[in-house]
Amino acid sequence: MRISPRLMVIAALFVTCLIAANIIAVKLISVGSNIVLPAAIIIFPLSYIIGDILTEVYGFAWARRVIWLGFLCNFIFVFFAWIGGLLPGASFWQGQSAYETILGYTPRLLLASFSGYLLGSFANAAVLSRMKIWTKGRYLWTRTMGSTIVGEGLDSAAFITVAFIGTPAFALMLIVYHWAAKTLIEAVATPVTYAVVNYLKRVEKTDSFDRGVNFNPFKLADAKP
């Protein structure tokens, strides 16, 4: 089975953005005087943009595979980061607390991150795929924005609810801030999305329409090279 090298690059970029976002998310940044967001806000939306490109060009079946690949790679990273934290440090090493601050994930935050990612990513891909049929392949911006509004909304709601509900940090406006910031980045990146999609469709000589595709996230066997 021959897989397009461009598809491999897109998958690699998707996974890289996902893992990088989870690492830098521990840093909080201020936007204005009242809004606090994780530093991952600068890169996590890129995974949705890449996901849009993937679904638009190669179809939902390939997007589904790459989403699960991202989940697996992220899980492997988190597992070995945890193992690394358990290993005894050298007698002269003073960085254990810093290591645990950056790479030490609580079970609740892991559940929040994984559930938000899967829910949002699959919703994003499914909405874009269905909208492409409805719009007959026209008006790409409506698909990228529509799918992002749904996907990022579900992602933000799931993550913040699971991670913070029942704690003083939980607030509905926090969900709104996350969702709005991610959606704004998608909107700003729309010209880039158009350029990349048009380039890939031209060089790959493909433009997938997911008629009759099974949107079950657990069905992995119907992606064609």
Side-chain angles (χ1 to χ4, degrees):
M1 179 178 68
R2 181 183 179 277
I3 298 176
S4 165
R6 298 175 188 87
L7 175 57
M8 295 174 64
V9 170
I10 292 170
L13 289 174
F14 180 88
V15 173
T16 301
C17 288
L18 176 63
I19 294 177
N22 283 341
I23 295 173
I24 68 174
V26 296
K27 180 174 182 177
L28 300 179
I29 60 175
S30 295
V31 180
S33 57
N34 299 317
I35 301 175
V36 176
L37 297 170
I41 201 72
I42 65 173
I43 189 171
F44 186 71
L46 293 180
S47 67
Y48 274 77
I49 295 170
I50 295 170
D52 288 345
I53 294 169
L54 179 65
T55 306
E56 174 70 21
V57 178
Y58 300 98
F60 179 84
W62 271 112
R64 176 170 49 203
R65 282 188 169 184
V66 173
I67 290 168
W68 280 117
L69 175 65
F71 177 84
L72 176 62
C73 291
N74 194 33
F75 181 84
I76 291 172
F77 165 76
V78 169
F79 175 76
F80 282 105
W82 173 68
I83 293 294
L86 296 179
L87 296 175
S91 59
F92 56 84
W93 192 60
Q94 303 297 319
Q96 183 66 26
S97 61
Y99 183 97
E100 292 176 354
T101 298
I102 302 300
L103 299 176
Y105 300 91
T106 66
R108 182 170 180 173
L109 285 178
L110 280 179
L111 177 62
S113 177
F114 287 154
S115 60
Y117 163 72
L118 290 175
L119 183 62
S121 295
F122 279 119
N124 182 73
V127 169
L128 189 144
S129 178
R130 289 182 179 274
M131 286 186 67
K132 187 172 184 179
I133 301 296
W134 300 339
T135 60
K136 299 180 180 179
R138 298 173 294 176
Y139 317 120
L140 173 60
W141 68 271
T142 63
R143 300 194 290 281
T144 59
M145 291 305 302
S147 62
T148 295
I149 288 171
V150 174
E152 294 281 21
L154 290 173
D155 184 300
S156 299
F159 173 77
I160 292 172
T161 300
V162 175
F164 300 115
I165 194 167
T167 73
F170 179 75
L172 290 178
M173 286 307 298
L174 189 59
I175 297 175
V176 175
Y177 292 149
H178 276 242
W179 170 77
K182 294 171 183 176
T183 303
L184 177 61
I185 292 174
E186 173 80 43
V188 171
T190 295
V192 177
T193 304
Y194 263 83
V196 175
V197 164
N198 290 335
Y199 165 76
L200 287 173
K201 286 181 178 179
R202 184 175 69 253
V203 298
E204 297 281 34
K205 296 180 174 58
T206 186
D207 188 7
S208 295
F209 284 81
D210 292 321
R211 296 183 178 90
V213 167
N214 188 334
F215 288 95
N216 181 347
F218 300 102
K219 183 177 175 59
L220 301 177
D222 58 353
K224 298 179 181 179

